Amino acid sequence: MTASDGSLVARRRRERVAVWVVGLLVVAATVGVGWAATPYHDARGSVAAVEAQSGVTVDRTDAGGYVLRPTGADTDTGLVFYPGARVHPDAYVGSLAALASEAGVTVVIPKLPLNLAVVDYGLASTGLRSHAAERAIATHESVDDWYVGGHSLGGAMACQYAAGNEDVSGLVLYGSYCDVDVSDRADLAVLSVVGESDTVLNRAAYEDSLANLPTSARVAVLPGVNHTQFGTYVGQDAPSGTTFETAHDRLNAVAVPWFQNETETVRLARTGIAG
């Protein structure tokens, strides 16, 4: 074999390897997209149950998300709630309904690209589309005070959004943590709730991240609540031994009065009574 023959063989071998590498990358990307595109759904029939409630109006958006409103009442407070990674918006209708019916909040649960808040945030950061929160805020012009929040990865991306948008009144974290520093935002109301039985949450990262929150943040740990019980889906965490109904009661015993207090504080400030 001549030197030129050896060079040709080596080049062809490199080409075959390159073809295999590209093929493997395509397969990996396809599997990744398929994985992200098969989200966890509501496993409790919660959407129909909430639709049957008299105090909540449930609207489905064209994009596949949900909007929860207090029935027959105007509201000037809104929450854009980002689902956790690979979780469909329908899995949060049941756990968030009380914020509409009892706290008078318009709750927007957007459907995110590939069911990943980080993809939505990345696309918005590159200018390819607007943030889900921005689209929701623009759609609901009657709402004056907006909060952003989310579950798990959704909460982390909500924190990123709040850090860069001073017109956001507050941040709500469910089974999540803030990995950017917003501790100097005295104007940012923050609610952080985690489950004691959550085995998905990175507990060390969560504990470290508490320093990123303002000192006024309301932090709560719910006994007997796991990661999936911030929604109504299963399969991502070990069973906690607590029913979904009890878990949501414990969650909303914290979240509803927090929102009610925040709403009243804003109302008093606007009328010049506060302070």
Side-chain angles (χ1 to χ4, degrees):
M1 178 182 294
T2 65
S4 60
D5 291 336
S7 176
L8 178 61
V9 170
R11 186 171 70 251
R12 287 177 175 172
R13 183 180 297 117
R14 288 194 298 270
E15 289 172 351
R16 286 196 298 270
V17 170
V19 169
W20 274 103
V21 169
V22 170
L24 289 173
L25 289 174
V26 169
V27 170
T30 301
V31 171
V33 170
W35 171 82
T38 53
Y40 296 100
H41 279 273
D42 167 41
R44 310 288 298 176
S46 300
V47 176
V50 172
E51 288 177 324
Q53 295 179 18
S54 59
V56 186
T57 298
V58 180
D59 296 322
R60 289 171 169 80
T61 68
D62 293 339
Y66 292 84
V67 180
L68 313 178
R69 314 171 194 268
T71 302
D74 294 329
T75 174
D76 55 10
T77 303
L79 167 67
V80 183
F81 190 89
Y82 287 21
R86 283 190 67 214
V87 187
H88 193 275
D90 64 14
Y92 298 98
V93 172
S95 58
L96 297 174
L99 296 183
S101 62
E102 299 179 34
V105 178
T106 293
V107 182
V108 180
I109 315 169
K111 176 72 167 61
L112 303 172
L114 293 180
N115 302 294
L116 295 169
V118 68
V119 173
D120 178 84
Y121 194 87
L123 291 173
S125 298
T126 58
L128 294 176
R129 60 183 280 157
S130 58
H131 289 281
E134 290 176 343
R135 297 192 299 276
I137 292 170
T139 301
H140 301 275
E141 297 180 355
S142 63
V143 175
D144 296 321
D145 297 299
W146 280 100
Y147 295 72
V148 293
H151 175 225
S152 196
L153 180 63
M157 292 300 100
C159 183
Q160 293 278 350
Y161 183 82
N165 291 271
E166 294 187 357
D167 56 341
V168 171
S169 297
L171 174 66
V172 177
L173 303 172
Y174 283 0
S176 183
Y177 56 85
C178 200
D179 57 2
V180 295
D181 191 353
V182 293
S183 60
D184 61 345
R185 289 282 305 277
D187 62 319
L188 188 70
V190 177
L191 172 64
S192 173
V193 187
V194 298
E196 185 182 50
S197 300
D198 189 331
T199 64
V200 176
L201 177 71
N202 184 325
R203 194 71 58 169
Y206 161 73
E207 295 289 348
D208 290 343
S209 73
L210 291 175
N212 290 334
L213 304 180
T215 56
S216 60
R218 170 77 165 95
V219 178
V221 179
L222 305 180
V225 174
N226 71 12
H227 200 70
T228 68
Q229 288 176 316
F230 285 98
T232 53
Y233 65 102
V234 296
Q236 200 179 37
D237 201 353
S240 66
T242 302
T243 66
F244 277 89
E245 291 76 15
T246 298
H248 295 165
D249 285 345
R250 291 173 182 172
L251 171 61
N252 287 310
V254 175
V256 168
W258 184 82
F259 262 107
Q260 290 171 332
N261 180 69
E262 288 299 318
T263 301
E264 181 66 8
T265 299
V266 170
R267 186 189 68 80
L268 294 176
R270 284 181 177 157
T271 57
I273 299 175

